[in-house]
Amino acid sequence: LLGRLGRHEDALRIFYCDLSSMELALEYCDIRHERKEEEGRKVRSTTPSECAYIPLVKVALNADSDPDRGVAAAIQVLALRRNVIDKSAALRLLPKNVPLSEMTRPFLIPAVVENQSQVRRLSVASALLRSRYMQLKKKLTEAQLKSQASLHTVPALQKLNLGEHLHSSKPTKARLVHPASSPNFPEVLLVKHFFSRHLVIQAQVMNVNSSQAYQDDVRTLTGVAFVVAESSDEALLPTLQVPLKTLPPRATGSAWCVLAASPQRLDGTAFLASELRFT
């Protein structure tokens, strides 16, 4: 009844003082703690509530006729429920003249050992989750590279009505306009796929450095896109780009660019100014 009225200290005085039972007092606090945990899981509250064991510490310190015995009982509560009690709040209730030696063996040393063990467990769990994350990220990247490796496997190209596939050119190595100023530029092979009304350019990007001096200076590339910046003929205009989200070091992936073609308007040879963009 006292508990339902919120008079927890009065209820604990009955167990601790009248019945002289620390066991019953702790059992009362355990029930309160479990109820508060259950309520916390159901309703998220930003306002912290009082620890269920703090009233018992107060009762032990204030209601006991022998102050030393009350301090010993309060330390006992700390020691027995050190994994769930609000340690800082409980320690603030203890008299300032309590010798540190009285708390060291029953409470402080076990608490420090448990905290260190928890830190080690969390460190191991963090390392395992990190390893799992890296494995999943690697598999996702490999799946993306595989899905964009071929003309017939790229989802974005499959959605287009490209028309009849006429033929594909042989791979041609792309040449840089200013090679001396781009020592870290990846190697690129270009393949042109001709359709009745479209030209699809496949840029096979190899994330390696052609310069021997920079072989070890290779990083992951992101947002790798092959862009046709300018066309000499309006009958051949860019309509779609399919970039690579990620290209790890020493990996090969394909970025795509689709150009709409108007054969009846195409006048001889068209020149394209192209760029490979990445971060």
Side-chain angles (χ1 to χ4, degrees):
L1 180 60
L2 292 174
R4 292 180 180 178
L5 295 174
R7 297 167 56 183
H8 302 296
E9 291 187 25
D10 292 337
L12 288 168
R13 285 191 188 92
I14 295 176
F15 292 123
Y16 180 75
C17 299
D18 298 346
L19 300 178
S20 301
S21 176
M22 174 64 78
E23 183 178 352
L24 291 176
L26 282 172
E27 184 177 342
Y28 177 88
C29 294
D30 290 339
I31 294 173
R32 278 197 66 211
H33 175 73
E34 291 175 2
R35 287 177 179 172
K36 290 166 74 70
E37 288 285 302
E38 183 66 26
E39 291 174 359
R41 284 191 289 267
K42 292 180 179 179
V43 181
R44 297 287 182 179
S45 176
T46 57
T47 304
S49 57
E50 185 185 49
C51 173
Y53 300 91
I54 294 300
L56 179 55
V57 174
K58 293 179 180 178
V59 168
L61 292 172
N62 299 326
D64 203 303
S65 57
D66 185 349
D68 292 337
R69 189 171 61 186
V71 170
I75 294 175
Q76 183 183 13
V77 175
L78 277 165
L80 293 175
R81 297 296 184 270
R82 58 179 173 267
N83 59 327
V84 291
I85 196 172
D86 185 341
K87 300 179 182 64
S88 59
L91 289 173
R92 285 195 296 267
L93 294 175
L94 296 178
K96 294 183 179 180
N97 61 349
V98 175
L100 185 62
S101 57
E102 291 189 15
M103 296 183 291
T104 300
R105 183 179 294 275
F107 171 65
L108 293 180
I109 292 179
V112 170
V113 171
E114 287 179 1
N115 287 340
Q116 289 178 341
S117 299
Q118 185 177 13
V119 169
R120 285 195 293 269
R121 288 194 298 269
L122 292 175
S123 298
V124 171
S126 176
L128 292 174
L129 289 174
R130 175 67 178 173
S131 176
R132 180 60 176 164
Y133 166 75
M134 295 304 296
Q135 291 175 0
L136 292 175
K137 185 177 180 181
K138 181 180 178 182
K139 289 182 178 179
L140 182 61
T141 300
E142 291 174 349
Q144 177 225 347
L145 295 178
K146 185 177 180 180
S147 70
Q148 292 190 205
S150 170
L151 179 67
H152 304 291
T153 60
V154 184
L157 297 182
Q158 292 177 344
K159 295 178 181 178
L160 295 178
N161 184 17
L162 294 175
E164 181 185 358
H165 181 205
L166 303 177
H167 68 94
S168 298
S169 69
K170 293 182 179 180
T172 303
K173 187 174 181 179
R175 291 178 295 178
L176 296 177
V177 177
H178 304 289
S181 61
S182 305
N184 298 330
F185 202 83
E187 294 184 2
V188 181
L189 293 177
L190 298 178
V191 180
K192 295 183 286 293
H193 304 280
F194 295 90
F195 293 80
S196 57
R197 293 187 177 275
H198 293 86
L199 170 62
V200 180
I201 302 178
Q202 177 183 7
Q204 296 178 339
V205 185
M206 291 156 280
N207 192 7
V208 295
N209 288 328
S210 55
S211 174
Q212 292 294 328
Y214 294 91
Q215 282 297 318
D216 296 330
D217 187 17
V218 183
R219 61 180 179 83
T220 297
L221 305 180
T222 58
V224 183
F226 182 78
V227 180
V228 175
E230 187 176 348
S231 173
S232 64
D233 197 318
E234 293 183 357
L236 197 61
L237 297 175
T239 59
L240 177 68
Q241 296 172 13
V242 184
L244 283 166
K245 292 183 179 180
T246 305
L247 188 62
R250 288 168 286 279
T252 299
S254 292
W256 301 79
C257 182
V258 180
L259 298 97
S262 300
Q264 66 276 13
R265 294 173 53 198
L266 193 60
D267 184 18
T269 302
F271 295 92
L272 305 176
S274 306
E275 299 176 358
L276 185 71
R277 299 174 182 175
F278 55 84
T279 57

